[in-house]
Amino acid sequence: MPKKFPKISEIPVESETAFGLVELAVGAITLAWALDIFAHALKRDTKTTLNQIKVYLLNLIEAAMWAGVYSVLAIWLAAIPELVFSKWLFPLNPEAKWPQLLLEVVLQAAANGAISQVVVDLASQIPVPDLGADGKKLSASGGGVIFAFLLFSRQ
């Protein structure tokens, strides 16, 4: 008698396992797509493509350098509003009313905005070299997501 296989809907799967499988499938599809683009580029002109790959890799290193600059400055300067608000202006008060909490949130947002501007001004003075030598202004040179994540995660 042949073995009867269960329907897919009858197979119990834990949520972490299902998420991991979906993540793996999306990653595999993305990798296959990138390799296909890379293979088509190599067929066109190998010398130009290899030069483009070199410039791209150098730009990635440059972006990592910018991320490092913003990370160091954000971690260093984010302690200032944290110290001011948690120790002096608004010490921990479990009975605080919502107007006081709202005021604290608004003032912390303002302080974070000021610190953000200081970090951007300081980072713009640091001479990060254009490794790709293509004159391209990388989005990482503006700070972006890494800077915001580091600054606000400290609050």
Side-chain angles (χ1 to χ4, degrees):
M1 178 166 212
K3 185 176 181 181
K4 185 177 178 185
F5 291 102
K7 294 179 184 176
I8 291 180
S9 61
E10 296 173 350
I11 300 173
V13 177
E14 294 179 22
S15 61
E16 293 102 23
T17 306
F19 182 74
L21 291 173
V22 169
E23 187 178 24
L24 182 64
V26 169
I29 291 169
T30 305
L31 180 62
W33 173 73
L35 289 174
D36 182 55
I37 290 174
F38 182 69
H40 284 299
L42 282 178
K43 287 179 185 175
R44 286 194 303 255
D45 185 7
T46 306
K47 186 175 181 184
T48 302
T49 304
L50 292 177
N51 190 38
Q52 290 171 338
I53 291 170
K54 181 187 90 168
V55 168
Y56 181 72
L57 291 175
L58 288 172
N59 281 339
L60 287 178
I61 294 169
E62 182 183 345
M65 291 169 69
W66 278 112
V69 166
Y70 278 100
S71 296
V72 168
L73 289 173
I75 289 171
W76 180 52
L77 292 175
I80 295 170
E82 182 180 343
L83 178 67
V84 169
F85 282 92
S86 65
K87 302 286 186 214
W88 296 323
L89 294 181
F90 296 99
L92 185 61
N93 180 7
E95 287 125 23
K97 304 289 185 217
W98 73 267
Q100 179 185 351
L101 296 174
L102 181 62
L103 177 64
E104 182 180 357
V105 168
V106 169
L107 289 176
Q108 276 194 351
N112 284 335
I115 294 293
S116 304
Q117 189 59 49
V118 169
V119 169
V120 168
D121 292 343
L122 288 173
S124 68
Q125 301 301 315
I126 296 175
V128 174
D130 181 13
L131 297 178
D134 56 352
K136 183 177 179 182
K137 181 173 172 47
L138 302 177
S139 62
S141 66
V145 176
I146 292 175
F147 168 66
F149 171 75
L150 285 169
L151 183 66
F152 292 112
S153 69
R154 293 285 311 247
Q155 300 303 311

